[in-house]
Amino acid sequence: AQKITQTQPGMFVQEKEAVTLDCTYDTSDQSYGLFWYKQPSSGEMIFLIYQGSYDEQNATEGRYSLNFQKARKSANLVISASQLGDSAMYFCAMREGRAPPRGDMRFGAGTRLTV
Amino acid sequence: DVKVTQSSRYLVKRTGEKVFLECVQDMDHENMFWYRQDPGLGLRLIYFSYDVKMKEKGDIPEGYSVSREKKERFSLILESASTNQTSMYLCASSPRGWLNTEAFFGQGTRLTVV
């Protein structure tokens, strides 16, 4: 069963505006980690931001922030002040925290953002 | 600078051939992964390994096998390549034991089976 759902195949945003990329997940673990990666047209996978299930604050990294709503099982990525270089595929991923953590990470289908 | 290196950027193989995709990491990571990436499907986990000679099936292992004889090297094997295995293949590695450690990816191998 798909554990990570990204419902927006494509999104458009104007330069300097903010955009939210949606991600919902499914797990029965209490301990898990959520990741966002960016994949530009060059193909490399660039790690952006991490949120742990027990983190009380939403994660932020520069222009990236994560809107984490645990009860709704959503972890949306917010990009502020969009730039042309933000045009890329964005993937949401989850690592479940079974003991010991095995490290395997599951990804969503991705959202293509065009600025 | 951390590095995950995949042996080929592009490969073209014939149906029925045995294909080896090689991945090497220089970060002394315990975990290594193979994913395939297809449009609309994202990254799907084929196999992963959490130690030398250890392997576990991911979500789509059919038609693939793996080998990890040394900690730094993780090979993906297509026993008899088929056209539906035409895809982008991504290798990744991460340290074991921590939830918050990112996975580091190679540059990808675009495999075409004709």
Side-chain angles (χ1 to χ4, degrees):
Chain A
Q2 179 65 274
K3 294 197 169 198
I4 297 286
T5 303
Q6 295 181 252
T7 57
Q8 306 154 313
M11 290 282 286
F12 289 87
V13 65
Q14 296 285 334
E15 264 186 292
K16 301 180 184 176
E17 290 188 353
V19 63
T20 298
L21 307 184
D22 294 342
C23 174
T24 57
Y25 58 91
D26 182 29
T27 181
S28 56
D29 286 2
Q30 296 301 308
S31 179
Y32 51 89
L34 297 156
F35 301 77
W36 277 91
Y37 281 82
K38 172 184 178 181
Q39 187 183 47
S41 56
S42 58
E44 62 188 306
M45 292 285 284
I46 302 167
F47 166 70
L48 295 178
I49 195 167
Y50 168 82
Q51 179 84 44
S53 59
Y54 291 116
D55 294 341
E56 294 185 353
Q57 306 248 4
N58 284 341
T60 60
E61 288 287 347
R63 294 187 298 111
Y64 304 108
S65 60
L66 210 152
N67 183 1
F68 180 47
Q69 298 187 44
K70 194 170 181 177
R72 298 180 62 184
K73 292 188 175 178
S74 75
N76 299 338
L77 177 71
V78 180
I79 305 174
S80 62
S82 297
Q83 303 171 356
L84 293 177
D86 294 333
S87 293
M89 283 291 290
Y90 289 81
F91 292 100
C92 179
M94 177 175 66
R95 175 181 285 141
E96 292 171 303
R98 65 204 68 180
R102 301 189 316 179
D104 47 314
M105 195 181 284
R106 298 308 201 273
F107 285 78
T111 296
R112 181 170 296 283
L113 177 66
T114 303
V115 181
Chain B
D1 202 16
V2 297
K3 234 179 180 169
V4 179
T5 303
Q6 295 181 229
S7 53
S8 304
R9 193 73 194 262
Y10 300 94
L11 271 181
V12 180
K13 296 292 181 181
R14 295 195 178 277
T15 303
E17 273 192 78
K18 190 168 187 175
V19 180
F20 293 84
L21 303 184
E22 308 284 350
C23 175
V24 176
Q25 52 100 357
D26 65 0
M27 295 166 281
D28 202 36
H29 287 168
E30 290 82 6
N31 297 327
M32 294 189 75
F33 314 91
W34 276 106
Y35 293 90
R36 67 175 279 176
Q37 181 179 359
D38 300 289
L41 297 177
L43 278 71
R44 293 180 291 167
L45 183 64
I46 305 171
Y47 267 97
F48 68 99
S49 168
Y50 51 89
D51 206 344
V52 175
K53 297 191 187 295
M54 306 303 289
K55 61 186 179 186
E56 285 210 24
K57 294 179 180 179
D59 299 320
I60 52 164
E62 298 79 17
Y64 303 94
S65 62
V66 290
S67 172
R68 192 158 179 211
E69 296 296 318
K70 293 184 177 182
K71 190 175 186 180
E72 67 271 18
R73 187 179 296 269
F74 192 36
S75 303
L76 180 70
I77 304 157
L78 287 65
E79 296 289 343
S80 177
S82 64
T83 54
N84 63 11
Q85 292 177 310
T86 291
S87 187
M88 171 69 85
Y89 290 86
L90 291 167
C91 175
S93 73
S94 72
R96 185 172 63 207
W98 299 98
L99 263 185
N100 65 344
T101 51
E102 68 193 86
F104 295 86
F105 283 83
Q107 77 276 29
T109 296
R110 186 166 292 283
L111 173 67
T112 302
V113 182
V114 297

